[in-house]
Amino acid sequence: MSSPYFGDALSPRKEICNYYAGFPVYALAWSRRDDRGCFRMAVGSLDERANALQVVQLLPQHDAAASERADFGVVAETPVDYPLTRVQWQPGLGADLVAGAGDALYVWEVDGAQLRRRARLATRADYAAPLTAFDWNVVAPNLALTASIDTTCTLWDVEHQQAKTQLIAHDREVFDVAFAANSQDVFVSAGADGSVRMFDLRALEHSTILYEAPAAAAPAASGRQAFTPPLLRLACNALDANYIAAVALDADRVSIVDVRNPGAAVAQLQGHAGAVHAVAWHPASSTQLCSAGADARVLVWDIRHALAARHHQQRQAVAAAAQAKQLGRTRPSDASVHAA
């Protein structure tokens, strides 16, 4: 990795930098602001006793050659009541805001060495169903979308701290949600009913089921033969809004969905030896993505060949269907000739 601390005279170089949190890390997000002059991360804990959100940044005197030393230091920290299921930095160059989803959507502002809470967004003051995920809109940074175990998705106006709309998105818990690329109206969600669904905030009376996970063998203790596995994670392609990556419970593969062809995955990326836990598209390539799994591996994929192979199969199927139709038209006339 390269750092502004190295100076402009040095070319970027690959390094492994360490940070030791002192607690199990569950949520993590890179800050993409260039005006802060350093590499920063937001780190959320997963602990049975006490939980926290930290902002850490690369130390000016870090030594990548000393693998036993931490290269990142804590800039600010705040306690949280419940583990954060996701953290994200607000897009753009406005206030330096970071948000986290837990029992509500919390928004903090990084103010020097402090994290000042700006908002707690919940549909009810006394009780709110836990949030499983959220996404901050890149086109309109004042908008954020949350997903909850109560089957709903809620659109928030972060600036005015108000819910703009709430809808029942799935038949069961909603596990992930994301805005489509370059849109402040279209979003997709994944849930325990095993489906990926697309919504348009301008016409919420309708939605499209883009993909449904195929039936899988049920755990032996359940007494069932098969079940539809929940879809836990999804990721929208930031450069091509047609493609979505989705991951099912305990699945060792990533399903690639094309919104133009709902129903089945256009590609299945298999390579992990265990369950896939996270997936993300490359920010500068529309065909590359990476996945991380329980096999302690991060795999980088390029779907160009998989998509090309599928398009070739489709062309062959269309040609075969056309040929069969043509043969069906010619056979009656051939029969009449033989009869004569």
Side-chain angles (χ1 to χ4, degrees):
M1 64 187 297
S2 61
S3 168
Y5 291 121
F6 296 152
D8 296 333
L10 297 180
S11 60
R13 56 192 184 193
K14 296 179 180 179
E15 294 182 353
I16 297 177
C17 297
N18 304 297
Y19 172 64
Y20 304 98
F23 51 70
V25 174
Y26 183 74
L28 185 148
W30 280 103
S31 172
R32 297 184 179 179
R33 295 177 68 116
D34 296 328
D35 60 333
R36 299 300 173 183
C38 58
F39 288 103
R40 294 189 306 165
M41 293 185 295
V43 181
S45 67
L46 179 61
D47 199 295
E48 295 180 355
R49 298 164 296 176
N51 287 278
L53 173 68
Q54 293 181 340
V55 174
V56 302
Q57 73 179 33
L58 193 66
L59 299 172
Q61 69 277 13
H62 87 284
D63 182 5
S67 59
E68 73 283 355
R69 292 175 50 189
D71 300 295
F72 286 84
V74 177
V75 175
E77 182 174 3
T78 185
V80 293
D81 294 331
Y82 298 95
L84 299 176
T85 55
R86 178 166 298 173
V87 294
Q88 282 188 5
W89 296 85
Q90 184 184 39
L93 297 177
D96 197 9
L97 303 181
V98 60
D103 59 319
L105 181 63
Y106 293 90
V107 181
W108 295 273
E109 181 176 3
V110 181
D111 183 10
Q114 290 184 318
L115 277 171
R116 298 187 183 275
R117 196 171 90 178
R118 289 273 297 265
R120 180 186 184 275
L121 305 179
T123 53
R124 292 176 54 180
D126 55 344
Y127 169 78
L131 302 179
T132 53
F134 84 99
D135 192 31
W136 224 323
N137 193 282
V138 176
V139 179
N142 63 305
L143 299 179
L145 191 67
T146 58
S148 173
I149 65 170
D150 66 1
T151 75
T152 66
C153 291
T154 305
L155 179 69
W156 296 94
D157 184 329
V158 177
E159 183 179 353
H160 296 94
Q161 302 183 24
Q162 293 179 344
K164 293 177 65 70
T165 187
Q166 185 178 60
L167 68 147
I168 298 176
H170 288 258
D171 299 327
R172 296 171 60 191
E173 299 93 328
V174 187
F175 287 139
D176 207 355
V177 67
F179 283 102
N182 303 316
S183 175
Q184 65 183 63
D185 299 306
V186 180
F187 71 92
V188 293
S189 60
D193 57 8
S195 68
V196 173
R197 305 189 182 201
M198 174 173 280
F199 300 86
D200 191 325
L201 292 168
R202 297 162 295 187
L204 288 176
E205 62 272 13
H206 302 292
S207 65
T208 303
I209 298 179
L210 299 177
Y211 174 70
E212 291 183 294
S222 68
R224 295 179 295 172
Q225 295 298 320
F227 81 120
T228 300
L231 292 176
L232 300 184
R233 289 287 175 259
L234 61 81
C236 290
N237 192 313
L239 299 178
D240 189 338
N242 293 315
Y243 294 111
I244 300 168
V247 177
L249 174 68
D250 294 332
D252 61 355
R253 67 198 66 185
V254 178
S255 301
I256 304 299
V257 180
D258 188 339
V259 302
R260 298 165 296 185
N261 298 287
V266 296
Q268 295 283 357
L269 308 181
Q270 296 179 258
H272 284 281
V276 179
H277 292 322
V279 61
W281 290 91
H282 195 296
S285 172
S286 63
T287 62
Q288 294 182 7
L289 67 158
C290 69
S291 58
D295 55 359
R297 294 196 297 172
V298 173
L299 302 183
V300 179
W301 308 87
D302 193 319
I303 62 173
R304 283 179 295 181
H305 298 300
L307 295 179
R310 178 176 175 81
H311 292 158
H312 179 67
Q313 292 175 352
Q314 290 176 333
R315 288 194 296 268
Q316 286 184 321
V318 170
Q323 186 178 13
K325 187 175 182 179
Q326 183 65 29
L327 289 175
R329 289 177 177 175
T330 57
R331 281 174 183 168
S333 59
D334 291 344
S336 61
V337 171
H338 289 304

